Amino acid sequence: MVDCGYDISDYKGVDPVYGNMLDFEQLIREMKSRKLHLVTDLVINHSSDKHIWFEKSVNKIDPYTDYYIWVDPKGYDENGIPIPPSNWYSVFSVGKSDSAWQWNEKRRQFYLHHFTVGQPDLNLRNNAVKEEVKEIMKFWLEKGVAGFRVDAPMFFMEDKLLRDNPLPDPGVGLRALITCKYTFNHPDTFTFIKELNVFLKEYDRNSGKKIETPLIGETLGSVPMVMKYFGTRRFPAFHLPLNFLLRFMGTYLNARELNDFLHTWLDQLPKNKPSSWTLGDHDAGRIAHRFSTEYNYIMLALVTMLPGTCLVYYGVELNMDQNKLVQMKDEYGRFLHRTPMHWDDSRNAGFSTGEKTWLPVNPNYWNINVQHQQTHENSSLNYFKDLMDLRKTNAIKYGDLKFHIMSDWVLAFTRTYKKTSYIVILNLGTDTLPIDWLDEINYIPRNLTVVASSSNSAYKKG
């Protein structure tokens, strides 16, 4: 439980904190009976320092000697303290200057850790490690997992020469890491991802699967860099690199600004490649907290009606906020938006029958919950269900996309397939504004039917 379980000590087991393998197998069965599929995290940039591989690597027991990235010190200071081989810094050195190198007294070498000291980086150039990764993937596929979300691929490979990064300020943490020349999105990373892609294709072929096992990448960096993670036909990579553009949107945007913001992604998207859209996740604050509950409706319409895959962090469909009163268990502030899902107004919001939950339930669960919103026609949940129904239509699945700036604060876009069109109108401002879409969108008829509307819209469904 260093970094909330991203320190894995057994890649083929279930931590007793969460249950056991029988529980997992039941989960898979229950999901399949509901036509749901489980995509699991694949955390292979690093393991736990409690993993048997690391313990054997410390002791130079083959074949584990080079399973991790071990390097001699650059030298020793006047006090005899070993000097790290480069100026590389860890992701969690926010406001600090923590080295990504940790000295191991027993082995008398440094090991690399892009995250916490308890998460040593695996040597993904080592063929034996690559085979271990493929065995891990095969194990979970045979358990019934439908695909993988690959964690932190940006850190898979580093400069072999251990050259210093030209960091302007080594104390600013992740923001500086994104510009790290020798440790972030290294070119060799794509060769390894290609291997994973080819392995899955071969597995699917041998298993007789009709649908490819999806390989989804947690990709960060500049937009042109993220686009490289799509790969090509000859050099495949991720089926779906995640688009975190909206997750990092840091301020309210007017119609022109939002239009330009979206086009920074859409204009660079490779032809015939699927996009993805996400508002937030376990590492980013919820929209209702970052902006407002009203803005949550706008952004839900945006990510669900744009072409591509929509990823919705649990509770966003309810307009859940962050728990401002949470008793902190994470020094990086991520637990504020990891609090339990609100199912009803009973104890622990119906999330657990225990005396209390590990993270406290947000006090507003009594009226922001699934049960309450199911019975209110104008609720956020029912609005979200209307949007989900629209995603089943050919116009939203396959339709052409056109944007229109209707006024300073109103952005609209259409999705058109054959003779069917939908228009999505987003008022990004605070005022009620009259608009006539025929002035701008003359290919849409005057008489339209409202198929989804937010709680404060003047137009109601129907």
Side-chain angles (χ1 to χ4, degrees):
M1 286 303 288
V2 173
D3 189 22
C4 308
Y6 277 79
D7 54 322
I8 295 175
S9 57
D10 179 359
Y11 280 98
K12 296 179 181 178
V14 175
D15 191 313
V17 168
Y18 303 115
N20 56 45
M21 191 60 75
L22 291 176
D23 296 326
F24 181 84
E25 291 166 353
Q26 182 185 3
L27 173 65
I28 291 284
R29 287 194 302 271
E30 295 287 354
M31 289 183 71
K32 285 185 175 180
S33 73
R34 292 162 174 79
K35 297 183 179 180
L36 297 171
H37 303 275
L38 181 67
V39 173
T40 188
D41 233 337
L42 186 66
V43 185
I44 52 174
N45 177 72
H46 47 265
S47 76
S48 167
D49 61 356
K50 303 296 189 294
H51 199 294
I52 190 67
W53 296 345
F54 187 74
E55 293 174 357
K56 290 185 176 182
S57 192
V58 168
N59 290 291
K60 295 188 178 181
I61 298 173
D62 286 332
Y64 306 101
T65 302
D66 297 318
Y67 264 41
Y68 298 84
I69 299 168
W70 295 99
V71 180
D72 293 330
K74 185 184 288 186
Y76 296 84
D77 65 16
E78 63 274 14
N79 298 314
I81 297 173
I83 300 170
S86 69
N87 73 343
W88 299 351
Y89 290 88
S90 75
V91 172
F92 292 137
S93 58
V94 179
K96 311 172 191 174
S97 57
D98 294 341
S99 175
W101 297 103
Q102 177 67 23
W103 178 252
N104 182 273
E105 188 63 34
K106 188 168 187 179
R107 180 154 166 157
R108 301 291 296 172
Q109 282 185 306
F110 283 98
Y111 67 83
L112 181 66
H113 63 94
H114 271 118
F115 294 86
T116 70
V117 171
Q119 295 166 288
D121 275 38
L122 285 159
N123 180 5
L124 295 175
R125 287 192 173 94
N126 184 315
N127 288 329
V129 175
K130 292 179 184 180
E131 291 306 310
E132 297 275 17
V133 169
K134 293 169 188 174
E135 277 299 312
I136 292 163
M137 295 170 76
K138 182 181 178 183
F139 175 86
W140 291 105
L141 286 168
E142 291 180 352
K143 285 288 182 185
V145 164
F148 300 98
R149 176 263 194 193
V150 181
D151 182 65
M154 309 80 67
F155 299 100
F156 279 179
M157 303 289 180
E158 304 78 27
D159 181 51
K160 290 181 180 180
L161 300 178
L162 308 180
R163 285 172 284 189
D164 283 350
N165 274 321
L167 287 177
D169 179 1
V172 297
L174 185 57
R175 292 185 299 281
L177 283 162
I178 290 174
T179 63
C180 286
K181 184 175 181 180
Y182 298 116
T183 55
F184 198 79
N185 291 322
H186 190 278
D188 291 351
T189 297
F190 300 96
T191 304
F192 175 58
I193 294 170
K194 176 187 176 182
E195 283 191 47
L196 299 183
N197 186 298
V198 170
F199 165 76
L200 285 178
K201 278 186 170 65
E202 185 178 338
Y203 178 88
D204 291 343
R205 187 167 53 249
N206 293 338
S207 304
K209 291 181 68 175
K210 296 179 181 178
I211 300 173
E212 282 189 75
T213 297
L215 197 61
I216 301 166
E218 182 200 23
T219 44
L220 294 173
S222 65
V223 173
M225 176 57 72
V226 172
M227 294 303 168
K228 290 183 180 180
Y229 280 98
F230 278 103
T232 63
R233 179 171 292 184
R234 291 186 176 181
F235 205 93
F238 290 131
H239 297 104
L240 192 71
L242 295 183
N243 169 15
F244 291 116
L245 198 72
L246 295 171
R247 181 183 128 175
F248 290 114
M249 187 175 74
T251 184
Y252 288 101
L253 302 177
N254 62 34
R256 190 168 301 280
E257 289 168 339
L258 181 56
N259 177 72
D260 294 345
F261 191 67
L262 295 170
H263 276 282
T264 60
W265 177 268
L266 290 167
D267 292 350
Q268 298 181 65
L269 192 67
K271 188 177 180 181
N272 298 323
K273 292 292 185 180
S275 184
S276 68
W277 304 96
T278 181
L279 301 176
D281 58 19
H282 62 299
D283 287 329
R286 298 177 182 278
I287 286 288
H289 174 78
R290 286 160 50 203
F291 297 97
S292 66
T293 54
E294 290 77 21
Y295 218 66
N296 199 65
Y297 287 100
I298 293 171
M299 302 310 287
L300 274 176
L302 190 66
V303 298
T304 54
M305 296 297 99
L306 286 172
T309 299
C310 170
L311 295 99
V312 179
Y313 187 52
Y314 77 94
V316 171
E317 71 276 25
L318 302 180
N319 224 330
M320 271 179 66
D321 196 351
Q322 291 186 194
N323 190 351
K324 303 175 182 67
L325 305 178
V326 69
Q327 287 86 349
M328 293 293 290
K329 296 190 180 189
D330 171 46
E331 61 179 302
Y332 305 105
R334 298 166 298 179
F335 287 180
L336 297 172
H337 40 271
R338 295 183 182 183
T339 54
M341 175 71 173
H342 300 174
W343 293 105
D344 55 40
D345 60 3
S346 67
R347 183 173 184 156
N348 298 324
F351 179 82
S352 171
T353 56
E355 191 168 325
K356 65 177 183 178
T357 51
W358 186 62
L359 291 177
V361 175
N362 193 316
N364 64 11
Y365 76 91
W366 65 274
N367 68 337
I368 299 178
N369 63 67
V370 173
Q371 186 182 60
H372 179 79
Q373 292 196 16
Q374 281 176 330
T375 59
H376 287 71
E377 183 183 356
N378 209 27
S379 70
S380 176
L381 177 60
N382 284 322
Y383 169 67
F384 179 74
K385 286 182 176 182
D386 290 339
L387 296 174
M388 289 295 101
D389 285 340
L390 283 172
R391 285 182 63 81
K392 299 172 186 174
T393 65
N394 285 337
I396 304 303
K397 282 183 181 178
Y398 314 116
D400 293 334
L401 170 69
K402 289 184 181 179
F403 284 95
H404 298 275
I405 299 170
M406 311 299 289
S407 71
D408 288 346
W409 290 99
V410 177
L411 179 68
F413 62 91
T414 57
R415 303 295 313 281
T416 303
Y417 183 79
K418 295 183 178 179
K419 294 183 179 181
T420 302
S421 292
Y422 290 98
I423 176 171
V424 181
I425 304 175
L426 309 173
N427 183 352
L428 305 168
T430 56
D431 297 328
T432 300
L433 297 171
I435 61 164
D436 187 342
W437 61 74
L438 289 179
D439 291 344
E440 174 72 24
I441 315 177
N442 53 24
Y443 55 90
I444 294 287
R446 177 173 294 278
N447 295 318
L448 302 177
T449 301
V450 178
V451 289
S453 74
S454 60
S455 62
N456 60 349
S457 171
Y459 293 91
K460 298 307 174 188
K461 181 181 172 184

